[in-house]
Amino acid sequence: MTRSEQHWVRAAALADIKSNGCTVAQVNGHTLAIVQDEDRIHVIDNRCPHMGFPLDRGSVSDGILTCHWHHARFDLCTGGTFDQWADDVRAYPVEVRDGGVWIDMAPRLNPRQHHLQRLQVGLERNIPLVIGKAVLPLLEEDTQAVEPFRIGLEFGTRYRRAGWGPGLTIHTCLRNLLSRLDASDRPRAVYHGLSAVANDCDGEPPRFAVQPLPTPSADMGKLKGWFRQFVEVRDAEGAERCIASAVRAGANHRQLADILFAAATDHRFIDIGHPLDFTNKALEALDVAGWDCAEAVLTSLVSTYASAERMEEANAWRHPIDLVDLLEAAFEELPTALETGRARRQAWRAPETFVGRLLSDDPNAIVEELLGALRAGCTAVELAGLVAYAAALRIARFPTSNEFSDWDTALHTFTFANAVQQGLLRFESPELLRGVFDAAMSVYLDRFLNVPAVRLPDAGESVADPQKLLEQLPAMLDERHQVDEAARLVARFLASGGEPDKLLSVLGRLLLREDRDFHTIQMLEAAFRQQERLHGLPTARMHVLVAAVRYLAAHAPTMRAQEQTWRVAYRLHHGESLFEAAPAT
């Protein structure tokens, strides 16, 4: 038997097909539909690739089989679908020999390429089910999801005229969470991220990039100055050309971060922190996908800089206390404060009262605390972490008597403060350090959100098996108004010696079962980042995770429609049946 011949299998008698028009055969573990159309015999997988309905229950006309569940149409010869949401059904080569129907069961060629192509279709047409069905097999080979992540990143920066937006931020946040999730939840996170990108681009015109200068200058200082000036006068095209030129000239990730973060902090807390947070996420995305994507990704940020609202224009930052003038005066002292502190860095430790002072009602005192810490040897990264912790406490102590939308007011401060710290970890620039002061003033402005302040949860009595506490959390978040109850459970779990990593994986799973919410995903990703840097400070770490679960509980449960779509994709991938035969009467 030749190599090609060894895969041929006799599946049915020709007479049975001719008498019935269609029959179902089990061959090598596959359920096949054998269909006669006029004088030809066709063999296809019997499971509709859309949602698994038996295709032998469909109808045939003029060489097209129509599934009777959602009316997907398939060419019987090739298996190709005329409905892109359905996917092609596999068609098998067939021969009639000696009164029998023989089928070539040779393995399908290059299934990975097929799944990549289907992922592209899902993104282009914003079909989450198609995305989910492509992600599951792709992640069996690429457990870190680098290629699907890169595909989503390239798609999102190309097909949204406004450039980087919430979809790509969600995409990157969820990629950042992968290492904290159980292995079974990782494909679901990738599905959510890619679906968010598709939804953000749906119906949008593409983005046409501005080309770099004809001979890109390698003078990064000059390009940085030009970029900041163009952003200042809201000239998005001129600013974009500077970034494209810097990339083509070979700027490294630190130089590019320096250029972008300087402009993002030339004005106070622009667009409630989103541009700086987006920039940090874009840089993190390139760390995963590869810096050869830098030109398309980083230029996609520029329009958000040029069009951003500046807090110099906001009443709350000007009256009754002019916070902008206060900060500008502080920025003049920054070079001296940093120089003084360099010699003392090894000796500085944050006083126990430091974070409490950041939560005070006196902005002048807050600014002086920050400057004093720098003079005493505190690093920019350390200072950013302390401000981020103060911002997390605003959420941990947020009373549910506030308006629901005010959760997001506190959230924006926290995610901005986290982004500033992550940026400083990449490149500790004096311009970006201004963002720490902006975040501290936003924490100050958010003080009304803690009136009255909720008490931080009392852990209560320690339990012998903290894992049993954690098992109660999913059912708790199936109900509304469980904000404080969830916080107490998390505090007790950690105080009883529960492993933080197990808590993170459960919180990640509970996040992914809800319908995607931009701010909730931002909240958990930032909290996970911050708690990592508080490894040796269990109380502070607990407070950050309490803030995370309170925010998640406040935004749960949702309809979970996206989870239903994911479950359909998951069950199809594992060969489960999604329909039940009608009971016999």
Side-chain angles (χ1 to χ4, degrees):
M1 184 179 292
T2 65
R3 180 174 178 83
S4 60
E5 195 62 24
Q6 68 182 340
H7 296 293
W8 285 86
V9 177
R10 190 181 191 278
L14 179 62
D16 292 340
I17 309 301
K18 288 186 173 295
S19 62
N20 299 321
C22 178
T23 192
V24 176
Q26 299 290 333
V27 181
N28 295 354
H30 296 266
T31 304
L32 308 179
I34 306 175
V35 181
Q36 180 178 15
D37 179 44
E38 296 180 349
D39 59 347
R40 293 192 61 181
I41 303 296
H42 304 275
V43 179
I44 58 175
D45 272 341
N46 198 39
R47 282 168 59 91
C48 177
H50 178 221
M51 290 184 69
F53 195 77
L55 290 177
D56 68 289
R57 300 189 186 184
S59 57
V60 175
S61 175
D62 193 24
I64 295 175
L65 184 150
T66 301
C67 176
H68 282 186
W69 200 354
H70 294 94
H71 307 289
R73 298 159 297 166
F74 304 93
D75 168 27
L76 277 171
C77 288
T78 65
T81 183
F82 297 97
D83 302 285
Q84 289 299 298
W85 42 264
D87 198 356
D88 297 339
V89 68
R90 184 175 179 186
Y92 295 83
V94 59
E95 291 182 5
V96 176
R97 305 177 187 173
D98 302 324
V101 176
W102 289 71
I103 304 168
D104 184 358
M105 298 298 294
R108 196 174 197 172
L109 296 177
N110 204 349
R112 178 176 166 277
Q113 192 59 41
H114 173 77
H115 297 311
L116 288 172
Q117 185 267 335
R118 290 301 295 167
L119 174 57
Q120 193 70 29
V121 169
L123 289 167
E124 291 169 354
R125 289 164 174 77
N126 190 20
I127 310 174
L129 182 59
V130 172
I131 292 171
K133 289 193 291 185
V135 161
L136 281 158
L138 287 173
L139 261 67
E140 289 178 344
E141 297 180 14
D142 179 8
T143 57
Q144 296 304 306
V146 174
E147 187 168 19
F149 178 78
R150 180 178 171 122
I151 289 170
L153 181 66
E154 291 175 339
F155 186 89
T157 54
R158 183 180 300 124
Y159 293 112
R160 186 174 186 266
R161 185 165 61 187
W164 191 285
L168 284 170
T169 302
I170 290 173
H171 187 47
T172 307
C173 282
L174 292 175
R175 175 57 182 70
N176 289 345
L177 293 180
L178 282 192
S179 64
R180 294 298 187 180
L181 300 175
D182 288 343
S184 60
D185 289 323
R186 291 170 192 163
R188 186 162 51 162
V190 176
Y191 151 78
H192 274 286
L194 289 164
S195 297
V197 172
N199 190 62
D200 228 16
C201 297
D202 191 28
E204 286 280 318
R207 188 175 71 88
F208 297 106
V210 174
Q211 294 301 306
L213 294 167
T215 305
S217 169
D219 185 345
M220 294 304 156
K222 178 68 74 176
L223 287 171
K224 177 180 176 180
W226 286 345
F227 179 70
R228 293 169 76 176
Q229 177 57 29
F230 291 143
V231 170
E232 179 68 28
V233 298
R234 303 188 184 276
D235 177 3
E237 288 191 351
E240 184 174 336
R241 197 161 209 195
C242 290
I243 295 298
S245 300
V247 174
R248 292 285 181 96
N252 62 37
H253 75 104
R254 289 165 57 87
Q255 290 171 317
L256 291 166
D258 180 31
I259 294 171
L260 291 161
F261 284 137
T265 52
D266 276 340
H267 289 278
R268 311 283 51 82
F269 196 49
I270 59 173
D271 268 0
I272 55 177
H274 282 141
L276 193 141
D277 187 49
F278 288 178
T279 300
N280 181 59
K281 285 292 168 284
L283 295 169
E284 291 173 351
L286 290 170
D287 290 339
V288 175
W291 280 81
D292 57 311
C293 301
E295 186 174 328
V297 170
L298 298 183
T299 55
S300 76
L301 296 162
V302 173
S303 65
T304 65
Y305 283 44
S307 62
E309 179 188 5
R310 300 161 178 178
M311 288 304 108
E312 291 91 330
E313 304 160 347
N315 178 66
W317 285 68
R318 289 293 194 179
H319 302 284
I321 299 173
D322 195 325
L323 301 179
V324 176
D325 279 356
L326 176 62
L327 290 177
E328 293 298 337
F331 297 156
E332 292 180 6
E333 298 185 41
L334 277 180
T336 303
L338 288 169
E339 185 62 32
T340 302
R342 281 193 183 94
R344 305 174 180 175
R345 288 203 166 171
Q346 299 302 317
W348 190 82
R349 294 290 182 272
E352 290 185 7
T353 58
F354 188 83
V355 172
R357 291 173 188 165
L358 296 183
L359 295 168
S360 74
D361 293 341
D362 185 349
N364 289 281
I366 293 169
V367 167
E368 190 50 47
E369 283 290 331
L370 298 175
L371 288 170
L374 292 171
R375 295 186 192 105
C378 180
T379 68
V381 171
E382 289 173 323
L383 195 63
L386 289 164
V387 173
Y389 176 44
L393 286 173
R394 290 286 190 219
I395 301 172
R397 306 192 71 181
F398 183 98
T400 55
S401 56
N402 285 326
E403 282 195 280
F404 188 76
S405 61
D406 278 332
W407 281 104
D408 292 343
T409 304
L411 164 96
H412 288 135
T413 303
F414 176 57
T415 54
F416 174 79
N418 173 68
V420 170
Q421 187 191 42
Q422 301 307 316
L424 287 166
L425 285 165
R426 185 181 298 273
F427 185 66
E428 198 167 305
S429 75
E431 290 95 351
L432 181 54
L433 179 55
R434 297 176 300 186
V436 177
F437 286 73
D438 288 353
M441 288 301 95
S442 190
V443 170
Y444 160 75
L445 288 171
D446 291 347
R447 66 196 183 284
F448 73 95
L449 298 177
N450 289 162
V451 179
V454 171
R455 289 178 57 120
L456 292 168
D458 182 358
E461 286 187 30
S462 178
V463 297
D465 187 357
Q467 185 63 28
K468 290 189 179 299
L469 282 175
L470 206 53
E471 291 168 1
Q472 299 172 25
L473 193 56
M476 185 176 287
L477 267 59
D478 281 334
E479 301 179 27
R480 296 192 182 279
H481 311 301
Q482 299 297 304
V483 172
D484 295 327
E485 290 78 4
R488 284 192 290 271
L489 186 149
V490 164
R492 196 175 186 194
F493 170 82
L494 293 170
S496 298
E499 296 179 34
D501 285 350
K502 289 185 177 179
L503 172 61
L504 298 181
S505 66
V506 169
L507 290 177
R509 183 179 305 126
L510 296 180
L511 171 71
L512 294 172
R513 73 176 181 172
E514 304 297 340
D515 281 352
R516 280 183 304 279
D517 177 76
F518 172 48
H519 289 141
T520 308
I521 292 168
Q522 277 189 303
M523 176 67 212
L524 261 71
E525 193 266 350
F528 282 22
R529 281 294 180 91
Q530 288 302 311
Q531 66 84 35
E532 287 174 1
R533 299 190 63 81
L534 296 169
H535 183 75
L537 301 167
T539 300
R541 191 181 200 183
M542 179 189 74
H543 292 161
V544 170
L545 292 172
V546 161
V549 78
R550 292 187 87 245
Y551 193 96
L552 177 60
H555 294 78
T558 61
M559 287 180 62
R560 301 179 184 170
Q562 293 151 358
E563 171 69 2
Q564 174 67 10
T565 300
W566 170 252
R567 293 303 305 172
V568 169
Y570 182 88
R571 291 177 64 189
L572 287 170
H573 179 68
H574 288 86
E576 297 180 26
S577 177
L578 299 184
F579 68 95
E580 296 291 337
T585 56

